[in-house]
Amino acid sequence: MTSHVKVPQPTRRRFLTTTALGALSVSALSAPTALFAQDPIKVAGIYTVPVEQQWVSRIHVAALAAQDRGDIEYTYSENTANTDYPRVMREYAEAGYDMIVGEIFGAEAEAREVAAEYPNVAFLMGSSFKEDPALPNLSVFDNYIQDAAYLSGIVAGAMSETGNIGMVGGFPIPEVNRLMHAFMAGAAEMNPDVTFQVSFIGSWFDPPKAKETAFAMIENGADMLYAERFGVSDAAQEKGVLAIGNVIDTQADYPETVVASAIWDFGPTMDAAIAAVQAGTFTAADYGTYSFMNMGGCYLAPFGTFEGKIPQEALDLVAAREAGIKDGSYTVVINDEEPKSS
Protein backbone atom coordinates (compact mmCIF):
# COMPACT_ATOMS: atom_id res chain seq x y z
CA MET A 1 0.00 0.00 0.00
CA THR A 2 3.00 2.25 -0.20
CA SER A 3 4.55 4.02 -3.12
CA HIS A 4 6.92 6.84 -3.85
CA VAL A 5 5.96 10.14 -2.20
CA LYS A 6 3.59 12.09 -4.42
CA VAL A 7 3.23 15.66 -3.24
CA PRO A 8 -0.20 17.17 -4.07
CA GLN A 9 -0.08 19.89 -6.71
CA PRO A 10 -2.02 23.16 -6.44
CA THR A 11 -5.00 21.80 -8.37
CA ARG A 12 -5.29 18.88 -6.01
CA ARG A 13 -5.93 20.83 -2.85
CA ARG A 14 -8.88 22.95 -3.79
CA PHE A 15 -9.64 26.40 -2.54
CA LEU A 16 -12.71 27.34 -0.52
CA THR A 17 -14.60 30.57 -0.71
CA THR A 18 -15.16 30.36 3.02
CA THR A 19 -14.01 28.12 5.86
CA ALA A 20 -15.32 29.97 8.88
CA LEU A 21 -15.79 27.52 11.72
CA GLY A 22 -18.67 27.35 14.13
CA ALA A 23 -18.51 25.52 17.42
CA LEU A 24 -18.83 21.77 17.09
CA SER A 25 -22.34 21.22 18.40
CA VAL A 26 -23.21 18.56 20.92
CA SER A 27 -26.03 17.41 18.68
CA ALA A 28 -23.62 16.83 15.81
CA LEU A 29 -21.66 14.33 17.87
CA SER A 30 -24.61 12.75 19.63
CA ALA A 31 -26.96 12.03 16.73
CA PRO A 32 -27.55 8.27 16.61
CA THR A 33 -26.07 6.30 13.75
CA ALA A 34 -25.49 2.66 12.94
CA LEU A 35 -21.82 2.93 13.87
CA PHE A 36 -20.72 1.00 16.91
CA ALA A 37 -17.50 -0.67 17.97
CA GLN A 38 -16.22 -2.47 21.01
CA ASP A 39 -13.17 -1.23 22.89
CA PRO A 40 -10.49 -1.22 21.53
CA ILE A 41 -11.54 -0.20 18.04
CA LYS A 42 -9.55 -0.94 14.90
CA VAL A 43 -8.13 2.24 13.33
CA ALA A 44 -6.24 2.59 10.04
CA GLY A 45 -4.32 5.66 8.93
CA ILE A 46 -3.84 6.49 5.25
CA TYR A 47 -1.23 9.13 4.51
CA THR A 48 0.05 10.55 1.22
CA VAL A 49 3.46 11.38 2.71
CA PRO A 50 5.80 9.69 5.20
CA VAL A 51 4.64 9.71 8.82
CA GLU A 52 7.70 11.83 9.63
CA GLN A 53 6.21 14.77 7.67
CA GLN A 54 5.19 17.53 10.09
CA TRP A 55 1.40 17.59 9.54
CA VAL A 56 0.90 13.83 9.29
CA SER A 57 3.28 13.17 12.18
CA ARG A 58 0.85 14.81 14.60
CA ILE A 59 -1.93 12.41 13.57
CA HIS A 60 0.43 9.45 13.80
CA VAL A 61 1.65 10.43 17.27
CA ALA A 62 -1.92 10.79 18.56
CA ALA A 63 -2.86 7.39 17.15
CA LEU A 64 0.15 5.72 18.74
CA ALA A 65 -0.74 7.30 22.09
CA ALA A 66 -4.31 5.98 21.82
CA GLN A 67 -2.95 2.55 21.00
CA ASP A 68 -0.59 2.65 23.98
CA ARG A 69 -3.60 3.39 26.21
CA GLY A 70 -5.39 0.38 24.79
CA ASP A 71 -8.15 2.44 23.15
CA ILE A 72 -7.37 1.35 19.60
CA GLU A 73 -5.50 -1.14 17.46
CA TYR A 74 -3.64 0.92 14.88
CA THR A 75 -2.05 0.33 11.51
CA TYR A 76 -1.23 2.68 8.68
CA SER A 77 -0.14 3.14 5.08
CA GLU A 78 2.18 5.98 4.14
CA ASN A 79 3.27 7.39 0.76
CA THR A 80 -0.14 6.57 -0.69
CA ALA A 81 -0.61 8.35 -4.00
CA ASN A 82 -3.83 10.31 -4.39
CA THR A 83 -4.78 8.06 -7.31
CA ASP A 84 -4.48 5.02 -5.02
CA TYR A 85 -6.25 6.58 -2.05
CA PRO A 86 -9.77 5.24 -2.80
CA ARG A 87 -8.42 1.72 -3.31
CA VAL A 88 -6.59 1.74 0.01
CA MET A 89 -9.69 3.09 1.76
CA ARG A 90 -11.71 0.19 0.37
CA GLU A 91 -9.11 -2.35 1.43
CA TYR A 92 -9.18 -1.18 5.04
CA ALA A 93 -12.98 -0.96 5.05
CA GLU A 94 -13.27 -4.49 3.66
CA ALA A 95 -10.77 -5.69 6.28
CA GLY A 96 -13.14 -4.67 9.07
CA TYR A 97 -11.56 -1.48 10.38
CA ASP A 98 -13.91 0.61 12.53
CA MET A 99 -12.35 3.99 11.75
CA ILE A 100 -10.13 5.28 8.98
CA VAL A 101 -8.19 8.52 9.46
CA GLY A 102 -6.18 10.43 6.89
CA GLU A 103 -6.10 13.36 4.47
CA ILE A 104 -8.21 13.59 1.33
CA PHE A 105 -7.17 17.04 0.07
CA GLY A 106 -6.11 15.51 -3.24
CA ALA A 107 -8.97 13.01 -3.56
CA GLU A 108 -12.03 14.74 -2.12
CA ALA A 109 -14.75 13.47 -4.46
CA GLU A 110 -13.40 9.94 -4.81
CA ALA A 111 -12.87 9.51 -1.06
CA ARG A 112 -16.40 10.62 -0.27
CA GLU A 113 -17.76 8.15 -2.79
CA VAL A 114 -15.90 5.34 -1.02
CA ALA A 115 -17.16 6.47 2.38
CA ALA A 116 -20.72 6.27 1.05
CA GLU A 117 -20.12 2.63 0.15
CA TYR A 118 -19.24 1.71 3.75
CA PRO A 119 -21.80 3.42 6.01
CA ASN A 120 -20.74 1.39 9.08
CA VAL A 121 -17.13 2.58 8.91
CA ALA A 122 -16.21 5.94 10.46
CA PHE A 123 -14.03 8.18 8.29
CA LEU A 124 -12.12 11.04 9.98
CA MET A 125 -10.46 12.98 7.19
CA GLY A 126 -8.35 16.09 6.82
CA SER A 127 -10.22 18.16 4.26
CA SER A 128 -10.62 21.65 2.86
CA PHE A 129 -14.37 21.06 2.63
CA LYS A 130 -17.08 20.81 5.23
CA GLU A 131 -18.93 17.76 6.44
CA ASP A 132 -21.97 16.61 4.48
CA PRO A 133 -25.06 15.59 6.49
CA ALA A 134 -25.95 13.26 3.61
CA LEU A 135 -22.73 11.37 4.36
CA PRO A 136 -23.10 10.76 8.11
CA ASN A 137 -20.05 8.52 8.51
CA LEU A 138 -17.48 11.08 7.29
CA SER A 139 -16.19 13.87 9.51
CA VAL A 140 -13.56 16.47 8.62
CA PHE A 141 -10.73 18.30 10.37
CA ASP A 142 -7.63 20.40 9.80
CA ASN A 143 -4.92 21.98 11.95
CA TYR A 144 -6.70 25.15 12.98
CA ILE A 145 -3.94 26.35 15.32
CA GLN A 146 -4.36 30.09 14.82
CA ASP A 147 -4.40 30.62 18.61
CA ALA A 148 -0.85 29.33 19.02
CA ALA A 149 0.28 31.05 15.82
CA TYR A 150 -0.95 34.37 17.25
CA LEU A 151 1.07 33.86 20.44
CA SER A 152 4.18 32.98 18.43
CA GLY A 153 3.69 36.23 16.51
CA ILE A 154 3.87 38.20 19.75
CA VAL A 155 7.26 36.64 20.42
CA ALA A 156 8.42 37.32 16.87
CA GLY A 157 7.41 40.96 17.06
CA ALA A 158 9.39 41.41 20.25
CA MET A 159 12.51 39.59 19.03
CA SER A 160 12.83 41.22 15.59
CA GLU A 161 15.26 44.11 15.74
CA THR A 162 14.60 45.39 12.22
CA GLY A 163 10.81 44.98 12.37
CA ASN A 164 11.08 43.18 9.03
CA ILE A 165 9.63 39.64 9.13
CA GLY A 166 9.67 37.12 6.28
CA MET A 167 6.90 34.53 5.91
CA VAL A 168 7.21 31.46 3.69
CA GLY A 169 4.14 29.27 3.14
CA GLY A 170 3.16 26.34 0.93
CA PHE A 171 -0.06 27.40 -0.77
CA PRO A 172 -2.34 30.35 0.08
CA ILE A 173 -5.28 28.15 1.07
CA PRO A 174 -7.60 29.17 3.92
CA GLU A 175 -6.03 26.79 6.45
CA VAL A 176 -2.59 28.32 5.90
CA ASN A 177 -3.81 31.89 5.47
CA ARG A 178 -5.50 31.96 8.87
CA LEU A 179 -2.29 30.89 10.62
CA MET A 180 -0.28 33.56 8.85
CA HIS A 181 -2.81 36.28 9.61
CA ALA A 182 -2.90 35.27 13.27
CA PHE A 183 0.89 35.35 13.44
CA MET A 184 0.94 38.78 11.78
CA ALA A 185 -1.65 40.10 14.23
CA GLY A 186 0.45 38.96 17.19
CA ALA A 187 3.61 40.54 15.78
CA ALA A 188 1.81 43.80 15.02
CA GLU A 189 0.35 43.95 18.53
CA MET A 190 3.86 43.79 19.92
CA ASN A 191 5.32 46.15 17.29
CA PRO A 192 2.79 48.28 15.36
CA ASP A 193 5.51 49.30 12.88
CA VAL A 194 6.39 45.76 11.83
CA THR A 195 6.42 44.93 8.10
CA PHE A 196 6.04 41.56 6.38
CA GLN A 197 7.40 39.85 3.30
CA VAL A 198 4.99 37.08 2.29
CA SER A 199 5.64 34.36 -0.26
CA PHE A 200 4.19 30.93 -1.15
CA ILE A 201 6.38 28.30 -2.77
CA GLY A 202 3.62 26.28 -4.47
CA SER A 203 4.50 23.03 -2.74
CA TRP A 204 3.80 21.22 0.51
CA PHE A 205 7.29 19.79 0.63
CA ASP A 206 10.14 21.50 -1.19
CA PRO A 207 12.77 22.46 1.42
CA PRO A 208 15.29 23.76 -1.17
CA LYS A 209 12.74 26.14 -2.68
CA ALA A 210 11.57 27.29 0.77
CA LYS A 211 15.19 27.87 1.74
CA GLU A 212 15.96 29.94 -1.34
CA THR A 213 12.81 32.01 -0.80
CA ALA A 214 13.88 32.66 2.78
CA PHE A 215 17.38 33.66 1.65
CA ALA A 216 15.85 36.31 -0.61
CA MET A 217 13.82 37.70 2.30
CA ILE A 218 16.91 37.88 4.49
CA GLU A 219 18.73 39.74 1.71
CA ASN A 220 15.78 42.14 1.73
CA GLY A 221 16.22 42.90 5.42
CA ALA A 222 14.25 40.25 7.31
CA ASP A 223 15.80 39.25 10.62
CA MET A 224 12.90 36.98 11.66
CA LEU A 225 11.25 34.24 9.55
CA TYR A 226 7.93 32.44 9.90
CA ALA A 227 8.73 28.84 8.92
CA GLU A 228 5.40 27.45 7.75
CA ARG A 229 7.41 25.07 5.51
CA PHE A 230 10.51 22.96 6.02
CA GLY A 231 13.68 24.60 4.73
CA VAL A 232 13.03 28.08 6.11
CA SER A 233 14.74 27.45 9.44
CA ASP A 234 17.77 26.10 7.59
CA ALA A 235 18.12 29.43 5.82
CA ALA A 236 17.68 31.32 9.08
CA GLN A 237 20.33 29.19 10.77
CA GLU A 238 22.84 29.68 7.95
CA LYS A 239 22.35 33.45 7.88
CA GLY A 240 22.22 33.97 11.64
CA VAL A 241 18.64 35.25 11.87
CA LEU A 242 15.74 33.93 13.96
CA ALA A 243 12.74 31.79 13.06
CA ILE A 244 9.34 30.74 14.36
CA GLY A 245 8.28 27.12 13.87
CA ASN A 246 4.91 25.66 12.90
CA VAL A 247 3.04 22.43 13.82
CA ILE A 248 6.03 20.67 15.40
CA ASP A 249 8.82 21.77 17.76
CA THR A 250 12.12 21.91 15.89
CA GLN A 251 14.16 23.86 18.41
CA ALA A 252 16.30 20.84 19.22
CA ASP A 253 17.44 20.92 15.58
CA TYR A 254 17.89 24.71 15.54
CA PRO A 255 18.73 25.62 19.15
CA GLU A 256 20.07 29.09 18.33
CA THR A 257 17.50 29.84 15.65
CA VAL A 258 13.95 28.73 16.47
CA VAL A 259 12.66 31.00 19.21
CA ALA A 260 9.15 29.58 19.50
CA SER A 261 6.79 27.24 17.69
CA ALA A 262 3.01 26.90 17.39
CA ILE A 263 2.37 23.21 18.10
CA TRP A 264 -0.56 21.13 16.85
CA ASP A 265 -1.81 18.43 19.22
CA PHE A 266 -4.09 16.04 17.34
CA GLY A 267 -4.88 14.14 20.55
CA PRO A 268 -8.17 15.94 21.36
CA THR A 269 -9.42 15.39 17.81
CA MET A 270 -8.48 11.72 17.77
CA ASP A 271 -9.85 11.06 21.25
CA ALA A 272 -13.20 12.71 20.50
CA ALA A 273 -13.61 10.60 17.36
CA ILE A 274 -12.64 7.40 19.16
CA ALA A 275 -15.16 8.12 21.91
CA ALA A 276 -17.89 8.76 19.34
CA VAL A 277 -17.18 5.49 17.53
CA GLN A 278 -17.10 3.57 20.80
CA ALA A 279 -20.43 5.10 21.84
CA GLY A 280 -22.04 4.51 18.46
CA THR A 281 -22.59 8.24 17.95
CA PHE A 282 -20.09 9.07 15.23
CA THR A 283 -21.71 11.18 12.53
CA ALA A 284 -20.86 13.95 10.06
CA ALA A 285 -19.21 16.80 11.96
CA ASP A 286 -16.39 19.33 11.74
CA TYR A 287 -13.72 18.31 14.25
CA GLY A 288 -11.59 21.34 13.37
CA THR A 289 -12.48 23.13 16.59
CA TYR A 290 -10.65 20.44 18.58
CA SER A 291 -7.45 22.08 17.28
CA PHE A 292 -8.33 25.32 19.08
CA MET A 293 -6.32 26.17 22.18
CA ASN A 294 -9.33 26.09 24.52
CA MET A 295 -9.86 22.48 23.45
CA GLY A 296 -6.22 21.55 24.05
CA GLY A 297 -5.48 21.21 20.34
CA CYS A 298 -2.58 23.67 20.13
CA TYR A 299 -0.05 25.38 22.34
CA LEU A 300 3.14 27.38 22.28
CA ALA A 301 6.23 25.20 22.59
CA PRO A 302 8.65 25.78 25.49
CA PHE A 303 11.20 28.48 24.70
CA GLY A 304 14.11 26.22 25.62
CA THR A 305 17.40 27.89 24.78
CA PHE A 306 15.62 31.23 24.45
CA GLU A 307 14.41 31.26 28.06
CA GLY A 308 15.51 34.57 29.55
CA LYS A 309 16.16 36.12 26.14
CA ILE A 310 12.60 37.17 25.28
CA PRO A 311 11.51 40.62 26.54
CA GLN A 312 9.34 40.42 29.64
CA GLU A 313 6.75 42.65 28.02
CA ALA A 314 6.18 39.99 25.37
CA LEU A 315 6.06 37.18 27.92
CA ASP A 316 3.47 39.07 29.93
CA LEU A 317 1.32 39.64 26.86
CA VAL A 318 1.61 35.99 25.83
CA ALA A 319 0.51 34.89 29.30
CA ALA A 320 -2.42 37.30 29.35
CA ARG A 321 -3.62 36.38 25.87
CA GLU A 322 -3.21 32.66 26.47
CA ALA A 323 -5.33 32.90 29.62
CA GLY A 324 -7.94 34.92 27.73
CA ILE A 325 -8.07 32.43 24.87
CA LYS A 326 -8.56 29.55 27.26
CA ASP A 327 -11.28 31.20 29.34
CA GLY A 328 -13.05 32.69 26.32
CA SER A 329 -12.44 36.34 27.14
CA TYR A 330 -10.14 36.80 24.14
CA THR A 331 -10.71 35.48 20.61
CA VAL A 332 -8.07 35.35 17.91
CA VAL A 333 -9.54 36.76 14.70
CA ILE A 334 -9.88 34.17 11.92
CA ASN A 335 -8.96 35.59 8.53
CA ASP A 336 -8.82 33.11 5.65
CA GLU A 337 -7.95 35.67 2.96
CA GLU A 338 -4.56 35.42 1.29
CA PRO A 339 -2.03 37.52 3.24
CA LYS A 340 0.02 40.10 1.37
CA SER A 341 3.41 41.67 1.88
CA SER A 342 3.44 45.06 3.58
Side-chain angles (χ1 to χ4, degrees):
M1 296 182 184
T2 60
S3 63
H4 295 296
V5 178
K6 189 169 185 178
V7 179
Q9 298 301 308
T11 55
R12 289 184 174 176
R13 191 169 185 178
R14 301 171 62 190
F15 286 67
L16 295 178
T17 56
T18 177
T19 57
L21 282 177
L24 187 60
S25 67
V26 175
S27 61
L29 291 179
S30 60
T33 73
L35 300 176
F36 182 78
Q38 296 296 320
D39 186 12
I41 66 173
K42 293 177 64 178
V43 174
I46 309 175
Y47 312 119
T48 63
V49 293
V51 292
E52 291 82 11
Q53 191 262 4
Q54 63 198 100
W55 192 91
V56 163
S57 72
R58 307 310 294 163
I59 303 171
H60 185 61
V61 166
L64 291 176
Q67 179 170 253
D68 289 343
R69 293 194 307 265
D71 292 341
I72 67 173
E73 295 176 4
Y74 173 60
T75 190
Y76 64 94
S77 296
E78 57 186 342
N79 298 332
T80 303
N82 287 314
T83 52
D84 286 337
Y85 212 95
R87 174 184 61 80
V88 179
M89 289 175 67
R90 286 192 178 92
E91 289 183 0
Y92 280 126
E94 291 287 346
Y97 280 83
D98 303 299
M99 184 168 77
I100 296 174
V101 60
E103 14 111 18
I104 58 173
F105 300 108
E108 290 276 359
E110 299 88 344
R112 290 171 188 257
E113 289 174 2
V114 173
E117 297 172 15
Y118 299 93
N120 292 324
V121 178
F123 292 88
L124 179 65
M125 294 293 174
S127 171
S128 283
F129 290 84
K130 292 299 184 183
E131 74 280 11
D132 181 357
L135 191 59
N137 61 322
L138 188 145
S139 287
V140 298
F141 69 88
D142 208 336
N143 65 321
Y144 295 129
I145 60 171
Q146 65 276 350
D147 297 327
Y150 165 76
L151 298 182
S152 73
I154 293 174
V155 175
M159 293 294 285
S160 173
E161 295 182 359
T162 66
N164 185 329
I165 298 178
M167 306 181 67
V168 182
F171 293 101
I173 64 168
E175 298 93 317
V176 173
N177 296 344
R178 69 169 53 189
L179 303 188
M180 286 189 161
H181 276 294
F183 172 88
M184 295 165 80
E189 186 164 0
M190 199 66 224
N191 177 7
D193 297 323
V194 70
T195 59
F196 301 97
Q197 302 178 58
V198 181
S199 183
F200 296 91
I201 63 171
S203 173
W204 295 122
F205 190 76
D206 190 344
K209 187 171 184 180
K211 186 176 181 180
E212 288 303 316
T213 302
F215 277 150
M217 291 179 173
I218 295 169
E219 287 294 320
N220 199 34
D223 70 343
M224 171 69 71
L225 299 173
Y226 176 72
E228 199 270 330
R229 292 291 100 193
F230 279 154
V232 176
S233 294
D234 293 298
Q237 181 174 251
E238 288 187 24
K239 295 297 184 179
V241 303
L242 301 177
I244 298 293
N246 183 58
V247 177
I248 61 175
D249 187 358
T250 58
Q251 198 193 65
D253 298 318
Y254 309 95
E256 303 304 318
T257 302
V258 175
V259 184
S261 296
I263 307 301
W264 184 29
D265 186 347
F266 191 72
T269 305
M270 177 70 77
D271 295 348
I274 291 171
V277 173
Q278 289 172 332
T281 59
F282 188 95
T283 192
D286 186 346
Y287 279 74
T289 51
Y290 284 104
S291 293
F292 287 17
M293 184 169 284
N294 64 358
M295 299 295 286
C298 66
Y299 58 93
L300 200 59
F303 298 126
T305 56
F306 283 87
E307 284 286 355
K309 300 177 182 179
I310 300 170
Q312 189 61 45
E313 181 184 4
L315 297 177
D316 291 344
L317 183 57
V318 166
R321 291 291 186 247
E322 181 176 1
I325 290 169
K326 290 180 176 179
D327 68 21
S329 62
Y330 185 85
T331 301
V332 174
V333 174
I334 293 175
N335 184 348
D336 290 339
E337 298 298 319
E338 181 177 343
K340 305 293 184 181
S341 298
S342 301

